[in-house]
Amino acid sequence: MIGISRLYCGTIEPSDLLRYGRTGAGPTGAHAPQALPQGRRPIVVWNCTRRCNLCCVHCYSASTGAAGEDELTTDEARKMIDDLAGFGAPVILFSGGEPLLRGDVLELAAHARAAGLRAVLSTNGTLITADLADRLARAGLNYVGVSLDGIGRANDGFRGMDGAFDLALAGMRNCRQAGVKVGLRLTMTRHNVGQIAAVFDLVGREAIPRVCFYHLVHAGRGGALRQAALTHRWTRDAVDLIIDRTAALHAAGLKAEVLTVDNHADGPYLYLRLTRRNPPRAEQCLDLLRANGGNSSGIAIGCVSWNGDVHPDQFWRQHVLGNVRERPFSRIWADEGQPLLAMLRDRKKHLKCRCTRCRWLDVCNGNLRARAEAETGDMWGDDPACYLSDEEIAG
C-alpha cells in the first residue's frame, strides 16, 4: 500500500507503525522511529468462505454462490487465530467471497480481538443492515472496507447485481451510525477509471475516512480482464488525479486516508512528483518508502484460504505453502526450508529484466510477483503494471 495522504500531505495515519515501523509526531510529517515487532510478522488475509451473494467480474478468488469445499470449522478457525496471535501477527483480515455469509464470522472476529489481534473485514457491504452494523461494533471490528467500483450502475455492472451500489452505500452509513470505522475500496480498470473523481466526490459528501484505489491483478476472474487493464499512460493520469484530489480534500479540511494498492511503482512516481513541487516533503517521502520496503508478499503479508491452505499472498492461490490443518501457520511461515518463501525474502538476486537496473528496487522490492507470473509465465520477470520510464528508473 502507498499512503498518498501520508506521503504527499504529511497526514499522520493510525497504520503508520505497521506500514513504516514508526508513528508520526505531528501533522507536519515529522516522525519518530519505533521498532517493528521482532521478525516483522505478517498481516494475514483469511478468505474465510468462497461463497458470495454477488459475482464481481474481477474477483481474485473466483467466488461463487456456493460455499468452498472443506471450509475450516469454527474450532479449526479459533485454533488458527490463537496461533496467529501467539505468533505476533498484528492483523487478521476476514475476506471471502463475502465473509458475512459465514455464520460464525462475528464470533471469530470477537475471538481475534480477545486474543489481541486487530480484526478487519473486507465486504461488498450489501448485507450490512443497521442491526448487523451494531453487531459488527459489538464484535469489536477495527475496520470495515467496502468494495465499490464506481457510482450507481457503474458499480452494479461490475458486481453483477442491480442495486448493489445503493445497498453498499446504506451499509457504509449503517457502520458509521454504529460507530464502526468504514472505508471504500475501488479496483481501477478501463471501464471505471473515469469514476475516480465521482468517488472522491462521494468520499467528501459522506465524510468517508478512508479510500483505497487498487491496481488490477490478473488472478481468479480478474484473469479474463487483461484487455481492461490500464495502459501506463492511463495509470499515470489516474495516480495524478488521486494525488490532486487527495490534496484538495485535505485542503478543504477532510483528512481522509487515501491509499493506492498493489503497485509499488506509485511510490517512486509520487516521490519524483514531490521533488518538483515540494523538495523537503520529497525527502521525508523517500525515507518512509525505504522504511516500508515495498512489496511484502511472503514477508509481511500472507493468506489462508477457506480450506486452510497457506499462500504467499491472496493472489497466488496456485502456490500452496502448507495447510493449517496439518501444521500451524506460524510453523509454515517460519519454515526456512520452504523454497518460495526463501526466494521472496531474498528476491533481489532472483529478479530479472528492468528490475535489475532500477534505482527504486529498495522502495519497490520488485512489485507484485503474482502479476508478473500471470502475464509472463515467469514469477521473476517484469511486472507489466510498472509504468515508470527507463529514464525514471535509471540510477
Side-chain angles (χ1 to χ4, degrees):
M1 287 186 170
I2 303 298
I4 302 297
S5 49
R6 176 66 170 103
L7 298 173
Y8 197 79
C9 302
T11 306
I12 306 306
E13 311 289 4
S15 55
D16 281 354
L17 181 58
L18 280 177
R19 194 163 298 124
Y20 309 114
R22 61 187 63 169
T23 56
T28 62
H31 49 261
Q34 293 190 10
L36 283 167
Q38 185 177 7
R40 195 178 185 187
R41 302 309 192 201
I43 293 169
V44 176
V45 177
W46 179 31
N47 296 107
C48 61
T49 182
R50 195 177 185 181
R51 185 183 173 200
C52 190
N53 60 316
L54 303 183
C55 189
C56 304
V57 296
H58 57 322
C59 179
Y60 70 79
S61 63
S63 295
T64 68
E69 294 182 7
D70 202 20
E71 291 183 356
L72 295 180
T73 66
T74 301
D75 286 343
E76 288 172 330
R78 282 176 170 267
K79 183 178 179 180
M80 178 188 71
I81 289 168
D82 290 341
D83 174 61
L84 294 178
F87 188 48
V91 179
I92 181 170
L93 189 157
F94 293 86
S95 188
E98 173 48 60
L100 292 173
L101 290 175
R102 182 173 169 126
D104 59 359
V105 69
L106 296 186
E107 173 190 341
L108 293 172
H111 183 75
R113 293 291 290 124
L117 291 164
R118 286 177 56 84
V120 301
L121 183 76
S122 177
T123 172
N124 61 47
T126 61
L127 303 176
I128 304 178
T129 61
D131 176 69
L132 181 53
D134 287 337
R135 292 166 57 203
L136 294 174
R138 291 197 298 272
L141 279 161
N142 297 91
Y143 174 73
V144 173
V146 175
S147 296
L148 284 175
D149 286 297
I151 306 300
R153 291 182 179 179
N155 174 76
D156 295 354
F158 264 70
R159 302 278 155 190
M161 186 180 84
D162 290 342
F165 173 82
D166 291 335
L167 288 171
L169 183 57
M172 296 177 74
R173 289 170 174 168
N174 289 334
C175 283
R176 299 207 67 196
Q177 184 65 33
V180 177
K181 182 179 179 181
V182 67
L184 185 157
R185 309 162 74 241
L186 178 146
T187 299
M188 298 181 291
T189 72
R190 296 189 190 195
H191 301 305
N192 68 353
V193 69
Q195 295 282 306
I196 290 174
V199 166
F200 269 102
D201 291 342
L202 178 69
V203 168
R205 189 165 59 247
E206 297 284 333
I208 296 169
R210 192 173 195 258
V211 56
C212 300
F213 294 91
Y214 285 71
H215 293 262
L216 179 67
V217 182
H218 302 139
R221 282 197 293 274
L225 290 181
R226 284 175 172 79
Q227 298 305 314
L230 298 182
T231 65
H232 290 177
R233 179 69 264 169
W234 283 17
T235 302
R236 296 169 83 99
D237 290 344
V239 174
D240 278 333
L241 178 59
I242 291 167
I243 294 171
D244 290 340
R245 290 300 300 262
T246 301
L249 271 182
H250 283 240
L254 180 58
K255 306 297 185 183
E257 182 179 13
V258 181
L259 306 106
T260 61
V261 189
D262 295 329
N263 193 339
H264 281 273
D266 292 347
Y269 184 75
L270 185 148
Y271 165 76
L272 290 171
R273 176 172 156 148
L274 276 171
T275 61
R276 298 187 295 270
R277 302 191 180 191
N278 189 338
R281 172 78 69 208
E283 294 314 304
Q284 295 172 359
C285 168
L286 186 57
D287 178 47
L288 289 171
L289 288 170
R290 285 174 172 153
N292 174 264
N295 178 269
S296 61
S297 300
I299 304 168
I301 189 165
C303 176
V304 180
S305 280
W306 43 84
N307 67 347
D309 282 344
V310 177
H311 313 281
D313 64 34
Q314 64 269 41
F315 304 112
W316 249 358
R317 316 195 86 78
Q318 71 271 33
H319 294 292
V320 179
L321 306 172
N323 189 289
V324 299
R325 285 176 164 141
E326 299 166 1
R327 278 201 304 171
F329 179 94
S330 58
R331 289 180 58 193
I332 294 170
W333 205 252
D335 186 353
E336 296 181 358
Q338 219 297 332
L340 180 54
L341 286 181
M343 288 189 289
L344 286 171
R345 293 167 186 175
D346 189 21
R347 70 181 71 180
K348 290 181 176 63
K349 65 184 181 184
H350 300 287
L351 292 167
K352 303 174 183 176
C353 307
R354 296 180 83 234
C355 286
T356 62
R357 59 181 187 274
C358 179
R359 62 171 164 151
W360 306 114
L361 192 53
D362 63 333
V363 302
C364 173
N365 205 26
N367 220 339
L368 194 62
R369 296 293 92 211
R371 188 163 46 218
E373 185 177 39
E375 288 300 294
T376 70
D378 182 355
M379 70 173 65
W380 304 114
D382 282 339
D383 180 344
C386 177
Y387 54 90
L388 300 177
S389 68
D390 288 344
E391 291 76 19
E392 286 169 332
I393 72 169

